[in-house]
Amino acid sequence: MIRIDNISKQNGHQILFIEASAALQKGEKVGLVGPNGAGKTTLFRMITGQDLPDEGQVAVDRGVTIGYFSQDVGEMSGRSAVAEVMDGAGPVSAVAAELKELETAMGDPDQAHDMETIIARYGEVQARFEELDGYALEGRAREVLAGLSFSQEMMDGDVGALSGGWKMRVALARILLMRPDAMLLDEPSNHLDLESLIWLEAFLKNYDGVLLMTSHDREFMNRIVSKVVEIDGGALTSYSGNYEFYEQQRALSEKQQQAQFERQQAMLAKEIKFIERFKARASHAAQVQSRVKKLDKIERVEPPRRRQTVAFEFQPAPRSGEDVASLKNVHKGYGGRAIYEGLDFAIRRRERWCVMGVNGAGKSTLLKLVAGATDPDDGAVALGGSVKMGYFAQHAMDLLGGERTIFEELEYSFPQAGQGSLRALAGCFGFSGDDVEKKCRVLSGGEKARLVMAKMLFDPPNFLVLDEPTNHLDMATKDMLITALADYEGTMLFVSHDRHFLAALSNRVLELTPEGVHQYGGGYTEYVARTGHEAPGLHS
């Protein structure tokens, strides 16, 4: 359905594609992967025709409709979320708009002389609307929005009053409702909670068109895609299989290429040694000549391109007492709505609690109470002896000094640290070379999250309270963080919608439900096995 033939593309000085080719067939679900800045968004834009390749062509079969979801949602306001979603439903929304106009015209006395024509046209348009299943459209729009965790009030309220993250969901819902022949989804898993993510997973599994998507969520990608297209060094390479299979294949081919490279280097060294040894002897002149010619003709094997992987190691955190935090008979409510009524909860040293609960269950509120960012209405919250806490929440990103560069921010936070160790810290969190000179105010959400995390972990607390720490992180940074936290000796309390993160790091689960609070020994994997669902509110 979509063919990418020998495309080359340059952005400024950066070469993104060199004679790259790939094909997407009907029904394929494809993950698009590659390092940051490799050209994933540019490829989406070329498929939709918003951008053109410098050479080669991107061909889309005639009549194929494409829905493209990007992180750049544009302005939305003045309509309800439902109306905004229905507006993206392709031809049916234009037909619905004409129906409305005709209904208005039929009630307008000034147009009485054209009534026959208007009524005739109304009949045609209504038939077309029924043919397109227009009357079911609003129901389907509400179903999609409910799947993405919208309440009825939010569906009917002005879309302009929603936060950026919820507007993203409206934009995503438009594409899902449209059910185009080809769906291009750039990071659809960002800004979604676990329930919405699992719903979207099921929706995309049942979608029968072509799907091309990027995602920083390994588990989500793994369960949906059956083919991976990798952008690396200007080329597009296709792997059939899920994300895990792609990783294994990639590692295997790197290993083979390295072995091939080493074998060839050894052979070349041997030949060069012979030439050097005998080039001055007339008796070996012919042999030397033939070997020189042979060397010239050999196609050189390149060593595999090494992906830059960074590792971060914690300085050992000072040991805390056995009792890290306790909540006794805690009551907390917002605007007449009780969130906690008499909550008792204790955290012991080296426990790693992940907090589960549907939207609005009070996950972030619990973290704020423990972190002292909000006070209980009644009851007591106390931290144990020698507890040094680090609290990561989305608002921490707003506290960075806008005019300071990344490096200045680190120096400001750690005046005693040496330049070398701060540069190494910046490198671990993906800021290398000139990146450290960027001003904090121009950083993307992901860059801000990485910087806040770097500041928090450099002088490590022995109790980490993390609210969605992986929200803006790419897979490589997430993997680095998981590896570092797996060796962390301290205590953790966290909320995350990333199942890979949850499974790798939790050893306790606190589940918040309308029926009450449940505690589970064992981590997220045991919780899923025991309850039979991946998130509260979902029952498989």
Side-chain angles (χ1 to χ4, degrees):
M1 284 171 79
I2 298 170
R3 285 178 316 286
I4 296 152
D5 292 328
N6 279 327
I7 60 163
S8 295
K9 178 74 177 172
Q10 193 165 341
N11 262 357
H13 293 301
Q14 194 188 7
I15 295 171
L16 295 176
F17 299 102
I18 307 161
E19 295 182 351
S21 297
L24 306 174
Q25 311 297 345
K26 184 169 170 51
E28 279 187 331
K29 295 186 169 60
V30 185
L32 181 62
V33 303
N36 277 344
K40 298 189 286 284
T41 302
T42 304
L43 188 66
F44 281 141
R45 290 174 60 83
M46 287 195 280
I47 294 172
T48 56
Q50 291 168 284
D51 215 331
L52 294 171
D54 301 335
E55 285 169 28
Q57 64 162 346
V58 177
V60 178
D61 287 354
R62 280 189 62 168
V64 167
T65 54
I66 293 180
Y68 173 37
F69 168 76
S70 78
Q71 294 292 303
D72 184 14
V73 295
E75 268 312 296
M76 289 183 190
S77 68
R79 281 197 284 210
S80 70
V82 170
E84 191 69 48
V85 170
M86 286 169 65
D87 187 51
V92 71
S93 59
V95 177
E98 192 179 347
L99 258 190
K100 277 213 161 49
E101 278 171 27
L102 291 166
E103 279 166 7
T104 309
M106 284 178 349
D108 181 359
D110 294 345
Q111 299 192 44
H113 57 290
D114 288 331
M115 202 49 71
E116 221 167 286
T117 319
I118 292 169
I119 290 169
R121 178 65 188 153
Y122 185 78
E124 288 166 21
V125 175
Q126 194 175 33
R128 177 76 181 125
F129 191 63
E130 277 172 10
E131 193 183 303
L132 290 170
D133 204 16
Y135 289 108
L137 188 68
E138 184 172 337
R140 280 186 22 235
R142 287 182 182 275
E143 209 177 293
V144 170
L145 285 168
L148 294 175
S149 300
F150 278 76
S151 63
Q152 291 300 327
E153 294 76 24
M154 289 167 78
M155 291 182 200
D156 294 317
D158 185 346
V159 71
L162 298 174
S163 71
W166 286 98
K167 282 181 180 168
M168 288 271 185
R169 296 188 195 206
V170 171
L172 178 60
R174 284 177 74 143
I175 306 295
L176 301 180
L177 181 69
M178 179 182 167
R179 282 197 106 104
D181 303 318
M183 240 189 251
L184 311 181
L185 304 181
D186 196 356
E187 291 296 343
S189 50
N190 267 7
H191 303 285
L192 295 186
D193 53 70
L194 193 47
E195 293 75 31
S196 306
L197 204 55
I198 292 166
W199 177 85
L200 179 59
E201 208 168 85
F203 185 97
L204 293 176
K205 277 182 187 165
N206 292 323
Y207 166 66
D208 52 11
V210 173
L211 173 67
L212 179 67
M213 71 167 192
T214 62
S215 174
H216 291 326
D217 188 316
R218 174 187 299 270
E219 200 57 45
F220 179 67
M221 186 83 113
N222 226 358
R223 294 178 186 206
I224 293 170
V225 308
S226 51
K227 176 175 167 180
V228 170
V229 171
E230 178 190 55
I231 306 179
D232 196 14
L236 289 171
T237 312
S238 298
Y239 296 81
S240 56
N242 65 5
Y243 185 79
E244 208 170 295
F245 177 78
Y246 148 75
E247 281 197 310
Q248 291 162 357
Q249 286 300 107
R250 194 195 151 83
L252 190 66
S253 62
E254 268 185 10
K255 209 169 162 184
Q256 288 167 342
Q257 197 177 344
Q258 184 66 32
Q260 234 180 326
F261 171 71
E262 284 167 9
R263 277 199 303 273
Q264 191 183 62
Q265 290 300 306
M267 182 273 291
L268 293 174
K270 215 163 141 190
E271 292 291 322
I272 289 164
K273 201 172 170 187
F274 179 90
I275 292 165
E276 288 300 316
R277 196 169 152 203
F278 295 113
K279 68 180 175 192
R281 296 191 196 175
S283 58
H284 286 72
Q287 270 177 297
V288 168
Q289 279 309 106
S290 82
R291 292 197 179 201
V292 169
K293 279 185 185 155
K294 183 177 141 191
L295 282 191
D296 285 344
K297 283 186 184 150
I298 285 176
E299 196 170 314
R300 301 294 156 109
V301 174
E302 293 288 322
R305 257 191 306 277
R306 286 269 168 255
R307 280 281 168 91
Q308 272 186 312
T309 49
V310 288
F312 174 73
E313 284 181 17
F314 281 96
Q315 306 297 323
R319 188 185 163 126
S320 71
E322 287 303 312
D323 295 319
V324 175
S326 73
L327 289 82
K328 288 187 179 141
N329 195 24
V330 165
H331 291 253
K332 182 70 182 173
Y334 288 112
R337 192 169 84 85
I339 299 194
Y340 293 114
E341 293 176 305
L343 171 67
D344 290 313
F345 175 50
I347 301 171
R348 312 264 300 158
R349 192 172 79 84
R350 298 199 65 175
E351 289 182 337
R352 296 154 170 237
W353 287 91
C354 72
V355 185
M356 312 285 299
V358 297
N359 255 343
K363 299 187 293 288
S364 292
T365 303
L366 177 69
L367 269 54
K368 282 179 184 161
L369 285 164
V370 171
T374 189
D375 294 322
D377 301 335
D378 201 1
V381 178
L383 291 184
S386 312
V387 170
K388 178 183 170 201
M389 184 174 55
Y391 174 43
F392 175 89
Q394 300 305 306
H395 75 259
M397 304 198 287
D398 306 330
L399 306 177
L400 297 168
E403 287 308 310
R404 286 197 285 268
T405 65
I406 289 173
F407 198 71
E408 285 166 353
E409 182 71 30
L410 293 176
E411 282 187 313
Y412 174 78
S413 304
F414 309 109
Q416 261 69 55
Q419 291 248 337
S421 60
L422 291 183
R423 281 194 184 277
L425 173 71
C428 284
F429 284 86
F431 302 114
S432 51
D434 295 340
D435 285 347
V436 294
E437 299 309 323
K438 279 186 181 172
K439 279 205 181 343
C440 290
R441 62 180 161 76
V442 302
L443 299 181
S444 67
E447 288 169 325
K448 282 181 179 168
R450 297 204 310 263
L451 179 54
V452 170
M453 202 90 59
K455 282 172 56 175
M456 187 169 72
L457 301 181
F458 182 64
D459 178 15
N462 51 29
F463 180 33
L464 285 175
V465 179
L466 309 174
D467 195 353
E468 293 287 5
T470 60
N471 239 2
H472 297 277
L473 304 182
D474 60 24
M475 266 193 214
T477 312
K478 249 187 236 184
D479 288 347
M480 180 273 289
L481 191 62
I482 288 171
T483 308
L485 290 173
D487 296 333
Y488 169 66
E489 293 282 319
T491 306
M492 288 171 65
L493 174 70
F494 64 94
V495 172
S496 174
H497 65 253
D498 188 296
R499 286 160 291 180
H500 182 54
F501 191 85
L502 289 169
L505 295 173
S506 59
N507 61 19
R508 298 279 188 283
V509 175
L510 185 74
E511 184 187 51
L512 311 176
T513 72
E515 292 76 50
V517 175
H518 308 287
Q519 302 187 15
Y520 296 86
Y524 177 70
T525 310
E526 290 84 349
Y527 163 81
V528 174
R530 200 178 303 175
T531 61
H533 55 251
E534 291 190 296
L538 292 176
H539 301 280
S540 51

